Amino acid sequence: MTPQQAINQQHNHVGLIGLGPMGIALAGALLKQGHSLTVWNRTPEKADDLVSRGAHRAGSAAEAVAASPVTFVCLDNYDTLYRVLDATGTALDGRTLVNLTSGTPNEARAALAWSTERGIDYLDGAIMVPPPLVGEPEAVILYSGRQGAFDEHQKTLRSVGGDPRYLGADVGLAVLYNTALLEMMYATMNGWLHAAALLDSANVSARQFAELALGWFMPAVVDYASLADQAPDLDAAHYPGALGTLEMNLNALQHITRTSEEQGVFSDQPRWMQQIAEQAVAAGHGSQNYLAIYELFKKARP
Ligand SMILES: NC(=O)c1ccc[n+]([C@@H]2O[C@H](COP(=O)([O-])OP(=O)(O)OC[C@H]3O[C@@H](n4cnc5c(N)ncnc54)[C@H](OP(=O)(O)O)[C@@H]3O)[C@@H](O)[C@H]2O)c1
């Protein structure tokens, strides 16, 4: 039997390195789906409960990866990842590494280069759900890298997230999508939190404000303002100002900053949005609509 045939025979076996809150959730999902799971963690006792549920505890990271054709790695950062994987020697050769450690697109590309040099098939992933949702049918996990690796291990990938999304061969794409979506989340959260702080300055509770803000206004922004319908305008750089110009929106942003100051609440956030609009106006987009801000966002600051 060739070494590759020996690896292929371990078809239901999965390795997992890293047992933080996310690693433990991944392990639980893999066990639930009936995989033969071998785990390794710097602090071995974190595997105790998993071992009682049928997981094998490896004595080293090399032992963990050698037990399976595919190994997930879920560590705190890339320094740790290299520290741990460097110690596996040649044990990963001919096997697949699915890296669910958060980082940047360049870190994912460097990890692909590191893996390719060692004959390791590499897939990068980004988990879009918190640990309790791992393994659930609606759990979205983003992947990028070689499509063959995604296709070959799709059944295993589906065990940790019922909705795995393959985004393309550029291995940096999964983490880039992840970063973009998280930015949307934080920007939206900050919008809601600052708006609630404005109302709090007049003794209106967040619960009271939520009915109008989240029950009516947010869905209206997404649906009636048709953000999805406007996406082709972004691709075409088409920003007609007939129904409202960026200059007009700048006026509104100035009102938000001034109102925040008057009400005695934190005014940096609206002022920053105001300054962004001012830069777009200075760049010649004043008579276009608000979407023209996109032109500013697409370039690094001069
Ligand atoms: N938790 C979430 O909600 C969530 C959601 C999406 C993505 N993620 C990503 O998933 C990854 C893991 O997150 P996590 O929540 O499980 O916890 P974490 O605190 O980011 O990572 C903990 C893991 O890293 C290991 N580790 C840290 N320093 C180490 C070292 N010097 N040598 C060896 N191992 C070391 C820990 O081992 P010990 O147990 O021995 O300390 C543990 O296995 C991160 O990249 C995170 O961004 C997490």
Side-chain angles (χ1 to χ4, degrees), residues 172-289:
L173 278 177
V175 66
L176 188 59
Y177 267 73
N178 168 264
T179 307
L181 293 169
L182 287 180
E183 193 207 347
M184 268 182 81
M185 179 187 78
Y186 286 117
T188 308
M189 289 293 288
N190 277 17
W192 152 243
L193 295 172
H194 190 270
L198 268 174
L199 269 294
D200 174 74
S201 70
N203 298 318
V204 177
S205 71
R207 180 193 286 240
Q208 232 175 318
F209 181 45
E211 193 272 318
L212 199 61
L214 305 181
W216 166 73
F217 188 73
M218 279 300 285
V221 169
V222 174
D223 293 341
Y224 305 157
S226 297
L227 292 187
D229 291 348
Q230 290 167 354
D233 283 348
L234 299 185
D235 292 333
H238 179 61
Y239 312 115
L243 297 180
T245 63
L246 189 47
E247 290 272 17
M248 180 278 290
N249 281 280
L250 176 56
N251 201 18
L253 287 161
Q254 286 161 345
H255 287 150
I256 303 172
T257 308
R258 281 174 41 214
T259 301
S260 300
E261 288 165 352
E262 278 179 20
Q263 294 292 114
V265 305
F266 189 84
S267 59
D268 289 15
Q269 179 165 283
R271 188 176 304 102
W272 190 47
M273 292 193 290
Q274 174 190 323
Q275 286 165 355
I276 290 168
E278 283 166 355
Q279 284 185 50
V281 169
H285 299 293
S287 61
Q288 296 179 315
N289 70 36

Side-chain angles (χ1 to χ4, degrees), residues 135-158:
E136 295 299 317
E138 69 276 20
V140 172
I141 303 188
L142 310 176
Y143 295 98
S144 54
R146 193 178 71 81
Q147 177 145 25
F150 177 81
D151 293 343
E152 278 159 37
H153 298 291
Q154 212 180 125
K155 187 168 167 277
T156 305
L157 300 180
R158 219 170 268 286

Side-chain angles (χ1 to χ4, degrees), residues 74-140:
C74 188
L75 293 163
D76 59 341
N77 59 45
Y78 275 79
D79 286 344
T80 303
L81 178 135
Y82 289 118
R83 189 174 308 130
V84 169
L85 293 185
D86 275 333
T88 62
T90 57
L92 267 165
D93 285 11
R95 301 172 195 273
T96 301
L97 183 66
V98 181
N99 181 19
L100 299 175
T101 303
S102 300
T104 68
N106 277 350
E107 284 178 318
R109 290 180 192 118
L112 170 65
W114 182 93
S115 301
T116 306
E117 265 174 36
R118 290 160 178 77
I120 303 163
D121 208 2
Y122 179 87
L123 201 56
D124 203 78
I127 303 168
M128 298 307 299
V129 292
L133 291 186
V134 164
E136 295 299 317
E138 69 276 20
V140 172

